[in-house]
Amino acid sequence: DIVMTQSPDSLAVSLGERATINCKSSQSVLYSSNNKNYLAWHQQKPGQPPKLLIYWASIRESGVPDRFSGSGSGTDFTLTISSLQAEDVAVYYCQQYYGTPLTFGGGTKVEIK
Amino acid sequence: QVQLVQSGAEVKKPGASVRVSCKASGYTFTPYALHWVRQAPGQRLEWMGWINAGDGNTKYSKKFQDRVTITRDTSASTVYIEMRSLRSEDTAVYYCARGGDPGPLDYLFDFWGQGTLVTVSS
């Protein structure tokens, strides 16, 4: 199984400041035949189901604000919120869709400082 | 708009079975994958398995393959998960989630249901 490890477990950021979340996979999720990273980020607000933010490691889902960006390749990935807004308070999960079993990171809780 | 509406909360005793439904609307049901993911208290999201809504093929996580069955009713655009031999550790919120573009993105969850709390308690 591909193990996804996120860091930090939580972070507190001032409004308007940058938040950075890291995700590491235990094996590469880069598929060589198409040069795509099978890595997604989901946002889960309190009491709600997760919501897809980013896929192919860096492609924003339709309707996702451009303050959210994803980067990385192979085994190391980052989700960046460039200017934190109050509505961004949530838990963020990375997920690999390279192969089954599909697996998630443990989540990073983002709060306002 | 795509919607996945799940059945209501369940309370079951250890050893019992439970079936949760997920009704899809707002898109053509059959080409897409539907997955089941659960979230136990304090635990990470855990993928359980998926079904191809078109041909009915399924694949399960090894952890659940002996106790879980995923089925679909194309006439009702609904997917079901049945879990047997419930134990207290199965207490969790169970989510259905649609796969992305059929084929290359089958394993990407692009829309999620609202979740169904299943409580297993004596």
Side-chain angles (χ1 to χ4, degrees):
Chain A
D1 298 3
I2 299 176
V3 177
M4 309 299 291
T5 303
Q6 285 183 236
S7 62
D9 292 335
S10 65
L11 74 161
V13 175
S14 300
L15 288 172
E17 296 300 304
R18 179 185 299 261
T20 302
I21 301 167
N22 301 302
C23 174
K24 190 174 185 67
S25 57
S26 62
Q27 65 188 73
S28 176
V29 297
L30 174 63
Y31 194 41
S32 55
S33 67
N34 60 10
N35 201 37
K36 288 183 181 291
N37 288 284
Y38 285 61
L39 189 284
W41 290 95
H42 300 269
Q43 174 195 62
Q44 187 175 31
K45 295 182 179 180
Q48 295 185 19
K51 173 191 169 187
L52 176 64
L53 290 180
I54 285 172
Y55 60 101
W56 297 137
S58 63
I59 306 298
R60 270 189 304 276
E61 175 71 331
S62 175
V64 173
D66 61 7
R67 63 180 179 274
F68 291 93
S69 63
S71 63
S73 185
T75 61
D76 292 280
F77 300 91
T78 300
L79 174 70
T80 302
I81 309 172
S82 61
S83 175
L84 190 75
Q85 305 300 303
E87 60 266 31
D88 301 334
V89 169
V91 179
Y92 293 84
Y93 295 94
C94 60
Q95 176 231 333
Q96 65 80 17
Y97 52 103
Y98 185 89
T100 58
L102 308 175
T103 50
F104 293 83
T108 296
K109 187 174 185 179
V110 174
E111 299 173 307
I112 306 295
K113 187 188 291 183
Chain B
Q1 72 284 17
V2 174
Q3 280 196 299
L4 300 172
V5 178
Q6 298 182 221
S7 49
E10 302 268 8
V11 179
K12 296 292 182 181
K13 294 197 182 305
S17 298
V18 69
R19 190 174 86 152
V20 178
S21 67
C22 169
K23 182 170 176 61
S25 62
Y27 72 98
T28 303
F29 182 69
T30 43
Y32 287 85
L34 267 294
H35 298 261
W36 288 94
V37 177
R38 78 177 187 180
Q39 189 171 36
Q43 302 295 312
R44 66 181 63 193
L45 293 158
E46 186 172 33
W47 177 77
M48 302 178 72
W50 74 289
I51 187 166
N52 181 314
D55 61 19
N57 282 341
T58 55
K59 187 166 187 177
Y60 302 100
S61 167
K62 284 190 174 64
K63 177 174 178 177
F64 300 106
Q65 64 184 16
D66 293 336
R67 295 198 294 138
V68 162
T69 303
I70 300 173
T71 56
R72 98 285 193 218
D73 179 349
T74 55
S75 66
S77 298
T78 299
V79 172
Y80 304 90
I81 186 168
E82 182 185 36
M83 188 173 228
R84 301 172 291 279
S85 302
L86 290 166
R87 27 201 193 238
S88 58
E89 311 88 88
D90 295 318
T91 293
V93 176
Y94 289 75
Y95 294 101
C96 62
R98 194 187 79 161
D101 282 348
L105 289 174
D106 275 340
Y107 290 167
L108 176 71
F109 311 128
D110 67 352
F111 288 94
W112 295 71
Q114 84 276 18
T116 297
L117 175 62
V118 175
T119 303
V120 183
S121 173
S122 54

